[in-house]
Amino acid sequence: MAADSEPESEVFEITDFTTASEWERFVSRVEEVLNDWKLIGNSAGNLSLEKGEYTRGTWGEKSQEINFADFKFLITHHFLKKEREKDTGKDKIEEDAFPLAMEDLLCMNNDFPPRAHCLVRWYGIREFVVITPGTNCEAIVSESKCNLLLSSIAISLANSGCQVPIFVQIQQKWRRMYAGECQGPGVCTDFEMVHLRKVPSQYNHLSGLLDIFKSKIGCNQSPLPPVNIAIRFTYILQDWQQYLWPQQPPDFDTLLGGEVGGVEFGKLPFGACEEPISELHLATTWPHLTEGIVVDNEVYSDLDPLQAPHWSVRVRTAENPQCLLGDLLTEFLKLSFRKESTEDILGRRLVEDEGKENSDVSTALSKLTEPAATVPISKLSVSNMVHSARKHIRRRRHDDESQLNTDILNSVLLYLFPDAAVERSSENSKNKAAQANSCEKAEQDKTSVCNLFLQLKSAPSDSLTYRLALCVCLANYNYGGLRAVAHLWQEFVLELRYRWENNHLIYGLAVGPPDLRCCLLHQKLQMLNCCIERKRARDEARKVLEANKERECRGSGAYQNSFPLPESTTTASTSTREMSLGKSWDSWSDSEEEFYECLSDQGEVEAPYTEKKKDGSKSKAEGRLHPFNNMTLLNSPDPLYIPLTQEPAPMTEDLLEEQSEVLAKLGTSAEGTHLRARMQSACLLSDMESFKAANPGCVLEDFVRWYSPRDYIEEEEIDEKGNTVVKGDLSARMKIPDNMWAETWETARIIPARRQRRLFDDTKEGEKVLHYLAVQKPADLTHHLLPCILHAAILKLKEE
């Protein structure tokens, strides 16, 4: 029985020592990260660093998260980026060389770098790894945890062979206290530090610090070699509020109160409401001294800051100082995130004001018939109470947002449209002078350095768009926020509508087609100005034609059609009796033809323009400008005349983009290519029709000689009689079958420019621009005007 009971009494236990503990996993994870970052092995390479390279160079860092059980750490690699990747071969890695960090400790070329990690300033190393507690983790305060981390680092360094020093941040984070280690072949460096609340008096000078340094070295040589020293004194100035500001503080009375004039809207505020600089640091440095050269002890010191060879100043700014220009731009940028439209903002406000203290309109009759009660019955319904409460909440929420009052609005509009102050009768001359002035200023801007709008794609600094950006920004900042901006924009669009309907040119815009170098809003305003110019020219031409008709009706029939048409009227587009949106251009051209030729409206357009009349005589030429280089027609001795043509339609960048998209969608098929060519030949067709009207009996070769001289090739030949004769012919591309020029020439009718369908329908385009402006939200307006306000801010900075 005893023999049987022996195996039962022995309990066989297996302890699995292969299961990794949390500490071992942490050590292994550190090694993995060092391996991923390729920090394994000898780090000695380019040992020599030039003086000041820590200051001039760029510091990089990369981070990863690692865990010790459930405690998170952040491991970060800090390093000085190399200027040259390839080594020249001079610095070869020696066997058993010191680690690079130890070499950096002894180098004095880069002491006290101003823009680097604090460990770089204290130890002068160019590459190191820091392990810090995670963002929401408490600091490592206990001594046992600090020792555990340091031992983990030592094992990781030994296992991986890494020679880059690793630091651990201990104690509270604000203390910036680190302990670290660096291992090399047969050598180890420990990085330790201590914090003292008060510096002992014996260590408050150089001689006391040298005593500590020598005692820590533990050198056996009896006379110690001289110690090399770098010294820096730092002086910190924190309070200078009683001194004068270097720049005048902003004038708050002008900005926030007092009389507001139009001039104020042209100026951006500038200046800080508080002192933006919190500290001034002055550092006096002796970069390289040897022990014995200077004396610094309790009773005497050679270290006079005024005699220091190197001074440097550092400015520390306040965290968030209130600066007027910065606040202005920030508040303006916030508008771009608002979703409301102008109608939502202004319409909602009107509805709220209308129902301030009154009940619903449906209760109006009951108020008349029923006796007055202290609390109206309608007010007692739940829906009405909710509606009333919602009104009060909304009103309280938008108390800081209000519409512009009448005085401020008038001053803004007067600043934007200074020509509105003069009488409308003299506006024509004023506008011309304004346009001339703006052109002269634009020429001056081209030569000046201040012209930034080309780089920023904004608008010239004397333009309406630029002034609008200033007014919108200031209205948002000082006079009511979003509602003020919506109100100002609505009034601005109404003013443009008034000018469009009354043929008044818009002040502050350069003449000519839209400038694609400017922002889209500026292009739209220029396009509207182009439409107004065309409309005015057409109306003037119509008045002249009506005056001619009256004179013709009064005079005898013999004088009919004998009045010459002024050149200014022939260059204008076709005139109309009254402009209406629904009318087609054909009806306009018919009515004008009735004025000009005294013909009926039915079927008389092409009759007088056939090449040969029934009696054999040629048709009457119309729309001539002047003869072209003394040339004659090929089939006639008549001179070749340059015709009056329509100007090509001006376009803004969004219209050009739309057109290019439409043309691109036609594809590369034969039909698509043909259709694309037809769409692009509208201007060519108009010019051909004008040419035919100005030169009766002409052929395609005549048109090519004027329009594209390179496509008409002339060669000298000798005829039968031996005379030298110049013969011409079309170029090869003009003889291609189904040539677009030949097809267009065949389809072109004999119509002068003033009777053609308009290439540029100014009525339609003007209404399109006004509609585009009217539907812009305040956020869209902010996007349009942002380049202009940045332009203004840069000019303001330069001025200050």
Side-chain angles (χ1 to χ4, degrees):
M1 294 293 293
D4 292 339
S5 63
E6 278 183 4
E8 293 178 4
S9 61
E10 291 180 3
V11 178
F12 185 70
E13 294 181 359
I14 299 175
T15 303
D16 187 4
F17 291 99
T18 60
T19 304
S21 64
E22 294 291 351
W23 174 67
E24 288 173 318
R25 288 197 190 98
F26 175 72
V27 173
S28 175
R29 182 69 184 127
V30 173
E31 292 174 24
E32 286 178 15
V33 172
L34 295 176
N35 200 9
D36 291 342
W37 289 343
K38 297 181 174 57
L39 302 179
I40 306 302
N42 197 339
S43 60
N46 184 15
L47 300 179
S48 60
L49 277 176
E50 296 180 4
K51 189 171 182 63
E53 197 163 335
Y54 282 6
T55 304
R56 294 191 308 270
T58 307
W59 290 89
E61 61 179 66
K62 46 191 173 184
S63 302
Q64 279 194 26
E65 276 193 359
I66 55 174
N67 291 338
F68 194 128
D70 58 346
F71 195 93
K72 287 187 178 180
F73 286 96
L74 191 67
I75 180 168
T76 308
H77 178 213
H78 298 266
F79 56 94
L80 181 67
K81 292 182 179 178
K82 297 177 182 177
E83 292 183 3
R84 51 186 186 278
E85 295 294 332
K86 297 178 181 178
D87 287 335
T88 55
K90 294 179 182 178
D91 302 317
K92 292 185 178 179
I93 299 173
E94 298 178 5
E95 201 171 336
D96 294 339
F98 272 156
L100 194 59
M102 298 186 188
E103 299 287 348
D104 289 340
L105 282 170
L106 300 174
C107 179
M108 299 183 70
N109 284 338
N110 290 285
D111 291 331
F112 314 116
R115 296 182 185 90
H117 195 275
C118 58
L119 289 171
V120 181
R121 293 205 301 274
W122 295 335
Y123 296 118
I125 50 181
R126 75 182 80 173
E127 185 178 23
F128 56 95
V129 175
V130 180
I131 298 177
T132 57
T135 50
N136 296 323
C137 300
E138 66 272 9
I140 302 163
V141 180
S142 67
E143 193 172 342
S144 60
K145 287 183 179 179
C146 296
N147 292 334
L148 182 62
L149 272 177
L150 287 172
S151 62
S152 305
I153 286 169
I155 293 172
S156 299
L157 289 172
N159 290 345
S160 62
C162 173
Q163 296 189 3
V164 175
I166 299 183
F167 293 87
V168 178
Q169 186 171 14
I170 56 178
Q171 304 299 327
Q172 290 83 3
K173 292 183 180 180
W174 60 266
R175 294 178 67 175
R176 294 197 298 179
M177 196 164 181
Y178 298 88
E181 186 167 321
C182 177
Q183 292 185 6
V187 65
C188 177
T189 301
D190 289 326
F191 296 90
E192 299 173 354
M193 61 176 64
V194 63
H195 281 182
L196 299 175
R197 284 186 178 274
K198 188 178 179 182
V199 181
S201 59
Q202 64 267 30
Y203 302 138
N204 209 5
H205 44 76
L206 179 60
S207 58
L209 294 173
L210 282 174
D211 291 340
I212 297 180
F213 181 71
K214 290 175 183 178
S215 65
K216 292 287 184 182
I217 287 177
C219 183
N220 295 325
Q221 296 182 18
S222 53
L224 280 173
V227 179
N228 292 330
I229 310 164
I231 302 173
R232 166 170 285 190
F233 290 167
T234 303
Y235 302 90
I236 299 176
L237 183 64
Q238 291 177 321
D239 184 21
W240 59 88
Q241 300 297 328
Q242 64 270 24
Y243 301 107
L244 289 175
W245 282 26
Q247 121 190 351
Q248 287 298 322
D251 186 0
F252 295 104
D253 292 334
T254 309
L255 288 170
L256 305 176
E259 189 174 333
V260 179
V263 184
E264 296 301 325
F265 283 93
K267 297 178 182 177
L268 290 179
F270 190 82
C273 301
E274 57 187 305
E275 179 55 63
I277 298 172
S278 63
E279 292 180 355
L280 277 174
H281 294 198
L282 170 65
T284 58
T285 309
W286 290 263
H288 195 243
L289 296 174
T290 309
E291 181 190 5
I293 290 182
V294 293
V295 177
D296 182 42
N297 52 36
E298 289 182 355
V299 295
Y300 176 78
S301 176
D302 289 331
L303 300 175
D304 182 7
L306 293 174
Q307 305 299 324
H310 188 255
W311 279 30
S312 56
V313 178
R314 183 183 181 189
V315 176
R316 279 203 162 185
T317 57
E319 286 189 5
N320 285 310
Q322 185 184 1
C323 299
L324 294 176
L325 184 59
D327 288 353
L328 183 89
L329 296 177
T330 306
E331 291 299 321
F332 185 68
L333 193 58
K334 286 179 183 177
L335 283 180
S336 61
F337 300 106
R338 303 296 292 260
K339 304 291 185 187
E340 301 94 332
S341 67
T342 307
E343 287 184 6
D344 293 339
I345 299 162
L346 300 180
R348 186 174 64 220
R349 184 69 172 185
L350 291 174
V351 170
E352 289 172 8
D353 292 343
E354 200 173 299
K356 269 183 184 176
E357 298 300 331
N358 299 325
S359 60
D360 197 11
V361 181
S362 59
T363 63
L365 290 175
S366 63
K367 278 190 173 183
L368 292 174
T369 56
E370 293 177 2
T374 53
V375 180
I377 304 298
S378 61
K379 294 271 185 182
L380 296 177
S381 67
V382 175
S383 60
N384 222 302
M385 289 164 65
V386 171
H387 178 67
S388 176
R390 194 173 288 160
K391 282 195 301 181
H392 286 297
I393 291 169
R394 191 179 292 162
R395 193 179 303 138
R396 194 174 299 122
R397 187 187 304 154
H398 295 291
D399 274 346
D400 57 333
E401 294 180 354
S402 59
Q403 296 185 24
L404 292 170
N405 65 46
T406 309
D407 294 337
I408 294 175
L409 180 63
N410 288 339
S411 61
V412 174
L413 292 176
L414 191 61
Y415 171 69
L416 292 174
F417 303 100
D419 59 330
V422 300
E423 291 183 3
R424 294 293 180 185
S425 59
S426 61
E427 190 168 5
N428 188 13
S429 59
K430 293 279 183 183
N431 271 326
K432 288 180 179 176
Q435 301 292 342
N437 290 338
S438 64
C439 291
E440 290 174 10
K441 286 182 182 176
E443 291 298 325
Q444 292 171 5
D445 281 347
K446 286 178 184 175
T447 56
S448 67
V449 189
C450 304
N451 191 9
L452 295 171
F453 79 93
L454 294 181
Q455 288 82 8
L456 295 172
K457 198 174 174 62
S458 62
S461 56
D462 60 336
S463 65
L464 174 63
T465 316
Y466 184 90
R467 296 198 303 274
L468 176 66
L470 295 179
C471 291
V472 169
C473 203
L474 289 168
N476 175 59
Y477 189 62
N478 287 333
Y479 299 107
L482 181 67
R483 293 185 184 280
V485 170
H487 188 196
L488 173 58
W489 179 243
Q490 186 186 55
E491 294 295 331
F492 181 81
V493 175
L494 286 174
E495 175 68 22
L496 295 182
R497 165 70 67 181
Y498 174 83
R499 287 170 178 262
W500 161 247
E501 291 176 351
N502 292 277
N503 289 356
H504 298 307
L505 287 174
I506 302 171
Y507 179 87
L509 297 175
V511 293
D515 189 351
L516 300 180
R517 301 171 300 175
C518 299
C519 64
L520 182 59
L521 183 63
H522 188 75
Q523 295 177 39
K524 291 289 183 184
L525 295 177
Q526 284 186 303
M527 173 68 92
L528 186 59
N529 228 17
C530 288
C531 296
I532 294 173
E533 284 180 13
R534 298 282 180 97
K535 189 178 166 189
R536 287 178 68 166
R538 195 172 61 253
D539 288 352
E540 287 173 7
R542 188 190 65 214
K543 288 176 184 176
V544 172
L545 290 169
E546 286 176 350
N548 286 346
K549 184 190 173 186
E550 285 180 8
R551 273 180 265 170
E552 288 169 4
C553 292
R554 288 173 190 167
S556 62
Y559 294 100
Q560 191 172 8
N561 294 335
S562 62
F563 295 100
L565 193 69
E567 258 188 28
S568 62
T569 61
T570 55
T571 56
S573 303
T574 313
S575 60
T576 65
R577 282 196 182 100
E578 287 296 328
M579 296 179 59
S580 63
L581 294 177
K583 264 193 166 185
S584 69
W585 170 246
D586 292 327
S587 61
W588 295 37
S589 56
D590 288 347
S591 61
E592 185 197 319
E593 191 170 340
E594 182 183 349
F595 287 141
Y596 185 74
E597 295 289 342
C598 293
L599 299 171
S600 65
D601 283 37
Q602 301 173 356
E604 297 287 338
V605 178
E606 294 187 26
Y609 298 105
T610 52
E611 192 170 319
K612 294 273 187 178
K613 292 187 179 178
K614 291 181 180 179
D615 57 357
S617 62
K618 287 187 180 179
S619 63
K620 178 177 174 291
E622 283 191 281
R624 287 177 169 178
L625 194 60
H626 56 77
F628 179 64
N629 293 344
N630 298 324
M631 285 187 180
T632 57
L633 300 177
L634 295 175
N635 297 340
S636 167
D638 296 337
L640 190 152
Y641 278 89
I642 295 177
L644 290 165
T645 56
Q646 293 194 63
E647 294 180 14
M651 300 188 82
T652 54
E653 61 184 29
D654 59 334
L655 296 179
L656 286 170
E657 191 175 344
E658 283 178 20
Q659 189 184 62
S660 62
E661 285 179 5
V662 170
L663 295 176
K665 286 178 182 176
L666 292 175
T668 55
S669 63
E671 185 180 353
T673 306
H674 184 77
L675 185 57
R676 188 186 300 111
R678 294 291 297 176
M679 289 175 64
Q680 292 175 316
S681 64
C683 189
L684 178 67
L685 175 64
S686 169
D687 293 341
M688 284 183 172
E689 291 180 343
S690 302
F691 189 84
K692 282 186 173 183
N695 298 281
C698 62
V699 292
L700 176 62
E701 286 80 356
D702 292 317
F703 178 77
V704 172
R705 289 163 67 200
W706 165 63
Y707 206 80
S708 179
R710 292 185 179 180
D711 285 310
Y712 189 77
I713 302 166
E714 293 183 338
E715 294 179 352
E716 293 183 353
E717 293 182 1
I718 299 174
D719 60 359
E720 299 172 355
K721 299 179 181 178
N723 298 327
T724 303
V725 180
V726 178
K727 287 191 175 181
D729 199 4
L730 295 174
S731 63
R733 81 182 183 105
M734 289 292 177
K735 294 180 179 178
I736 298 173
D738 299 328
N739 180 24
M740 181 55 61
W741 285 57
E743 287 185 10
T744 308
W745 181 262
E746 291 300 324
T747 58
R749 300 179 298 173
I750 306 175
I751 307 176
R754 61 189 181 82
R755 288 192 177 87
Q756 295 171 8
R757 181 183 296 274
R758 284 182 287 177
L759 291 177
F760 177 59
D761 190 345
D762 50 75
T763 309
K764 175 184 171 185
E765 294 300 327
E767 289 294 337
K768 279 172 64 177
V769 170
L770 286 170
H771 175 72
Y772 176 87
L773 297 177
V775 299
Q776 294 297 301
K777 298 178 181 178
D780 302 328
L781 181 63
T782 305
H783 289 132
H784 284 304
L785 295 178
L786 194 57
C788 297
I789 205 65
L790 289 177
H791 181 192
I794 292 172
L795 292 182
K796 183 67 177 178
L797 283 173
K798 185 176 180 185
E799 176 190 337
E800 292 293 335

